[in-house]
Amino acid sequence: MDARTSDRTPDATAVGVMGLEVPPARHSIGMSPVNRRRWQNFKANRRGYVAFWIFLVLFVVTLFAEFLANDKPFLIRLEGKSYVPVFVTYPETAFGGEFETAADYRDPYLKRMIAEKGGTVYWPPIRYSYDTHNLNLPTPAPSPPTWMLTQEQCRPVAEKMGGKDCADLEYNWLGTDDQGRDIAARLIYGFRVSVLFGLALTIVSSIIGVAAGAVQGYFGGWTDLLFQRLIEIWTSIPALYLLLIISSVLVPGFFVLLGIMLLFSWVSLVGLVRAEFLRGRNFEYVQAARALGVSNRTIMFRHLLPNAMVATMTFLPFVMSGSVMTLTSLDFLGFGLPPGSPSLGELLSQAKANIQAPWLGLTGFFTLAFMLSLLIFIGEAVRDAFDPRKTFG
């Protein structure tokens, strides 16, 4: 052992100016006992816990939608070189073609040219993107799933493409819409858009709503009175009609639609946070903090906000499900995302216009119902996790 070190335990009996001095103990980083109890309560709700992991896996998988459904290969090996068409746009001349335009990897001429040079093409499981139009459908669009077709229906197109039967076609596992676009690809991309939109709207509206409710509840008086009258006037406006009017005037887009919906969604959490701050501002520890000269900002966001967030957190999954439903409704009415964007609402709108194609309505309905059910189950589990009777009982 080094002479500069010692195996003796620290002296915990030294007496200083303030009395007995004890060396500070080192604690490992981890959850507090309260949060650990909440996590156990969350896991105890088996339905919500399983729904959380299913939803998380689906969301993470759809984040890589370009590797699951795309009309471009994610890797091409040709003459000792590697090409990544998913990320880089290559001209046709890079593979021996004659034109400088972007390569069409579904073109039989380009496929044959790469195969003759001994190249290897690695395709995603679904060889369609959300905006890919299948021009070689066995039946008119909307076409049923390929596995539902007969050999007689597939044979003409299969022979045209150098095959014999349905097994030689590029499968549309869930069929196509009325424009010949693959439904499975549009579902993957539409699920990602819906979840990202719901998450963004929930986070931003929660920040604004919590901040507004905190100011109202903490200061009270005229501040609370003026804010309440303003919110009552704002919420009396028919939100759906105003959303339709603004959406018809402005150029539709993801962030434009997010900003429009944010005008009304932030109000949902104001009342809850306001009530928590009104209740907590008269607690003894808050009065003591004021007497010690602690600033209002520190009291609000360090001492009162954690208590208010207990009730707020239970509402966030339900706020998110409401955001997804609002986006779906606007897309269904034609006032949502730009035309051609992958959307569950647009899929349901096509199902209404094409009753003879039941796979459109069934696919959109079950996908939306499954997503919302997962969010509801997660919300119930979060409610149980933050229930004081289960956490401190």
Side-chain angles (χ1 to χ4, degrees), residues 60-79:
V60 172
V61 168
T62 55
L63 288 179
F64 302 93
E66 286 77 10
F67 294 92
L68 296 175
N70 208 329
D71 54 3
K72 300 176 181 178
F74 55 81
L75 179 64
I76 297 178
R77 294 284 299 171
L78 180 64
E79 296 179 342

Side-chain angles (χ1 to χ4, degrees), residues 32-48:
S32 64
V34 174
N35 288 333
R36 194 177 299 112
R37 183 69 178 273
R38 287 170 178 166
W39 175 247
Q40 294 299 328
N41 292 337
F42 181 81
K43 293 175 63 177
N45 190 320
R46 299 300 301 173
R47 183 173 61 183

Side-chain angles (χ1 to χ4, degrees), residues 125-148:
I126 301 175
R127 299 188 181 186
Y128 303 95
S129 185
Y130 67 90
D131 57 351
T132 304
H133 297 269
N134 189 353
L135 303 179
N136 296 309
L137 290 174
T139 60
S143 178
T146 308
W147 51 271
M148 293 179 58

Side-chain angles (χ1 to χ4, degrees), residues 114-168:
I114 295 176
E116 290 175 354
K117 294 183 178 182
T120 305
V121 182
Y122 298 93
W123 285 93
I126 301 175
R127 299 188 181 186
Y128 303 95
S129 185
Y130 67 90
D131 57 351
T132 304
H133 297 269
N134 189 353
L135 303 179
N136 296 309
L137 290 174
T139 60
S143 178
T146 308
W147 51 271
M148 293 179 58
L149 299 174
T150 62
Q151 298 297 338
E152 289 74 15
Q153 291 175 313
C154 296
R155 186 172 294 111
V157 176
E159 292 176 351
K160 178 182 176 182
M161 300 177 65
K164 296 181 179 180
D165 50 24
C166 295
D168 299 318

Side-chain angles (χ1 to χ4, degrees), residues 337-348:
L337 297 173
S341 300
S343 169
L344 300 178
E346 190 263 349
L347 182 61
L348 293 176

Side-chain angles (χ1 to χ4, degrees), residues 6-317:
S6 173
D7 57 351
R8 293 181 300 174
T9 58
D11 185 10
T13 60
V15 179
V17 178
M18 301 301 294
L20 187 64
E21 292 182 350
V22 179
R26 295 183 179 180
H27 300 282
S28 59
I29 299 176
M31 290 191 298
S32 64
V34 174
N35 288 333
R36 194 177 299 112
R37 183 69 178 273
R38 287 170 178 166
W39 175 247
Q40 294 299 328
N41 292 337
F42 181 81
K43 293 175 63 177
N45 190 320
R46 299 300 301 173
R47 183 173 61 183
Y49 183 68
V50 173
F52 169 75
W53 282 109
I54 293 176
F55 184 82
L56 185 63
V57 169
L58 290 177
F59 176 56
V60 172
V61 168
T62 55
L63 288 179
F64 302 93
E66 286 77 10
F67 294 92
L68 296 175
N70 208 329
D71 54 3
K72 300 176 181 178
F74 55 81
L75 179 64
I76 297 178
R77 294 284 299 171
L78 180 64
E79 296 179 342
K81 297 181 181 179
S82 298
Y83 301 89
V84 190
V86 171
F87 300 112
V88 182
T89 301
Y90 298 100
E92 188 178 300
T93 54
F95 306 101
E98 301 176 355
F99 301 101
E100 293 288 342
T101 56
D104 181 10
Y105 302 96
R106 294 174 55 82
D107 186 2
Y109 171 74
L110 186 60
K111 291 181 180 179
R112 184 171 59 254
M113 191 161 39
I114 295 176
E116 290 175 354
K117 294 183 178 182
T120 305
V121 182
Y122 298 93
W123 285 93
I126 301 175
R127 299 188 181 186
Y128 303 95
S129 185
Y130 67 90
D131 57 351
T132 304
H133 297 269
N134 189 353
L135 303 179
N136 296 309
L137 290 174
T139 60
S143 178
T146 308
W147 51 271
M148 293 179 58
L149 299 174
T150 62
Q151 298 297 338
E152 289 74 15
Q153 291 175 313
C154 296
R155 186 172 294 111
V157 176
E159 292 176 351
K160 178 182 176 182
M161 300 177 65
K164 296 181 179 180
D165 50 24
C166 295
D168 299 318
L169 297 178
E170 294 180 350
Y171 264 53
N172 297 110
W173 292 100
L174 299 177
T176 67
D177 61 7
D178 56 5
Q179 298 182 36
R181 299 171 299 190
D182 186 71
I183 294 179
R186 293 184 66 80
L187 276 183
I188 295 173
Y189 284 89
F191 184 92
R192 182 176 67 177
V193 170
S194 299
V195 174
L196 288 176
F197 187 89
L199 278 175
L201 184 61
T202 301
I203 292 173
V204 178
S205 61
S206 297
I207 293 174
I208 298 176
V210 168
V215 171
Q216 281 186 248
Y218 182 77
F219 292 103
W222 282 101
T223 303
D224 184 29
L225 184 63
L226 292 176
F227 262 98
Q228 279 299 102
R229 300 293 82 78
L230 177 63
I231 291 176
E232 289 174 1
I233 295 173
W234 189 248
T235 53
S236 65
I237 301 175
L240 181 59
Y241 293 128
L242 190 60
L243 286 173
L244 295 179
I245 294 172
I246 298 177
S247 299
S248 63
V249 173
L250 298 178
V251 178
F254 184 90
F255 293 101
V256 172
L257 195 60
L258 184 66
I260 294 173
M261 295 179 62
L262 187 61
L263 293 174
F264 299 95
S265 60
W266 64 273
V267 185
S268 58
L269 292 175
V270 172
L272 180 64
V273 178
R274 170 180 171 269
E276 291 293 327
F277 270 75
L278 283 173
R279 182 176 65 90
R281 67 174 184 168
N282 295 319
F283 286 165
E284 293 182 357
Y285 71 91
V286 176
Q287 301 290 347
R290 286 201 188 107
L292 292 173
V294 180
S295 63
N296 290 329
R297 178 186 299 179
T298 303
I299 296 175
M300 290 173 61
F301 295 103
R302 186 172 181 179
H303 300 292
L304 286 176
L305 184 59
N307 294 329
M309 288 304 295
V310 172
T312 305
M313 287 292 295
T314 61
F315 280 81
L316 294 186

